[in-house]
Amino acid sequence: MEALASRRSTRVYTPRSRTPRSPTGSPTPARMASSSPPVAGTSWTAEHVMAVGRDSTDRLVEQPADTPGRYATVFSMRAGEAIAFVGIVDVCVLQGMATVYEQCVGARWQRVYSPTSHPLASIRAISDDKETGEADDGEIDAIRALWAQRAGGVVVVVRTVQCGLESLGRVSPHADVFKLRPLAQRLRAQGGAEDSDVEAEVRLNAVLGMPGFAPVLYVTTDLQLLRVPTDWTQVLERSAQAPVQLNAAFAQVPPVYVVAGAQGLGKSTFARLLTNQLV
């Protein structure tokens, strides 16, 4: 069995000199102008992190936090914190309430795709006073047992995924949309990089990053951060509460939604959020 170790840090991954901008009037998650400073994509206090791997018998075990190629990462978050990322992972919540793409995540695996070609997904901690219930999954139960006796908060698990899409870059460099370029390269296109910013994102990925999961500290001009306007949220909530429609035979009729608007207003993004809300 591999050596066991835990990691505890009080480092705060919140950019000091750059603060998130408030959403604009347009619902479009538009790219920022090249003259704008990077927007903070992650605000997270790294109190408790656990790396999970497999031993020689394929059993899930805790690993040293700096082990490369880990299978999963477990971390706690405070309500109001968020972690934006690039990649493909399965996500579940062991304790509390968190959302991804405005959809609540519970104690079961949910596949999340966050390519650089679209607004980035963010794991957002909502509340730490909600019980997620028992998981009908042996891996989740095993990870929960490894995490036992640690502090509370919103406890999130991300695990690596091998679905084939992560290898798009082998076909074409332009298709490598699930890989995050180093922050130094991204900031260079904006007229320079601050060493402290680059080091902070490197440390963040050393703590949380793993194959298929690259946390983003700064959303530079080549990336987009998903922003959901208030009117979108209201429509999504109403759609979830819509009454069931029945036909003449009293059989349930699937709902039909029409999303209309001019080019560039976010129709595809809204449709994805609506789909997540309904399934």
Side-chain angles (χ1 to χ4, degrees):
M1 181 183 300
E2 301 191 24
L4 303 183
S6 62
R7 180 183 181 93
R8 178 170 181 170
S9 170
T10 56
R11 187 180 304 279
V12 180
Y13 292 94
T14 306
R16 294 181 300 232
S17 59
R18 312 177 196 270
T19 56
R21 296 182 172 186
S22 59
T24 61
S26 169
T28 306
R31 299 182 186 274
M32 298 173 295
S34 59
S35 60
S36 302
V39 171
T42 291
S43 178
W44 174 64
T45 305
E47 289 190 336
H48 295 275
V49 181
M50 181 180 73
V52 178
R54 294 187 180 276
D55 62 11
S56 58
T57 64
D58 205 36
R59 186 166 61 94
L60 292 177
V61 295
E62 184 178 351
Q63 293 181 325
D66 58 353
T67 302
R70 69 185 74 167
Y71 176 72
T73 301
V74 191
F75 50 90
S76 62
M77 303 177 68
R78 296 177 180 178
E81 294 181 337
I83 299 175
F85 68 93
V86 172
I88 310 173
V89 288
D90 287 339
V91 182
C92 78
V93 175
L94 300 183
Q95 179 176 315
M97 178 187 296
T99 64
V100 178
Y101 283 135
E102 303 303 309
Q103 176 66 27
C104 288
V105 179
R108 61 184 181 89
W109 296 116
Q110 291 193 357
R111 183 69 48 86
V112 180
Y113 301 88
S114 184
T116 58
S117 56
H118 291 70
L120 301 181
S122 294
I123 301 172
R124 299 185 180 278
I126 305 301
S127 171
D128 58 5
D129 59 358
K130 178 179 175 60
E131 294 295 331
T132 57
E134 295 298 322
D136 187 21
D137 186 290
E139 281 197 355
I140 295 177
D141 291 336
I143 293 173
R144 190 193 298 272
L146 292 174
W147 181 264
Q149 308 305 320
R150 286 176 171 81
V154 180
V155 182
V156 180
V157 186
V158 294
R159 71 173 179 181
T160 57
V161 171
Q162 299 294 328
C163 65
L165 291 178
E166 69 279 357
S167 302
L168 284 175
R170 299 177 184 176
V171 179
S172 169
H174 302 290
D176 204 3
V177 294
F178 292 105
K179 183 178 180 180
L180 179 67
R181 290 193 304 149
L183 180 61
Q185 295 180 16
R186 296 177 0 239
L187 286 175
R188 193 174 300 126
Q190 299 181 210
E194 298 179 15
D195 291 341
S196 59
D197 294 340
V198 175
E199 293 172 0
E201 187 164 284
V202 170
R203 289 195 301 268
L204 175 63
N205 276 272
V207 173
L208 285 183
M210 61 181 188
F213 184 72
V216 178
L217 185 59
Y218 289 117
V219 181
T220 46
T221 55
D222 58 325
L223 302 173
Q224 302 176 70
L225 187 62
L226 178 65
R227 300 180 185 278
V228 181
T230 303
D231 54 346
W232 282 25
T233 302
Q234 294 171 349
V235 172
L236 293 171
E237 291 176 351
R238 288 201 300 269
S239 68
Q241 301 169 0
V244 176
Q245 301 293 322
L246 303 177
N247 59 19
F250 296 99
Q252 183 173 342
V253 178
V256 176
Y257 294 90
V258 177
V259 181
Q263 182 178 2
L265 288 182
K267 296 186 297 298
S268 297
T269 300
F270 178 81
R272 182 170 67 237
L273 296 175
L274 179 61
T275 302
N276 289 338
Q277 183 75 30
L278 297 175
V279 298

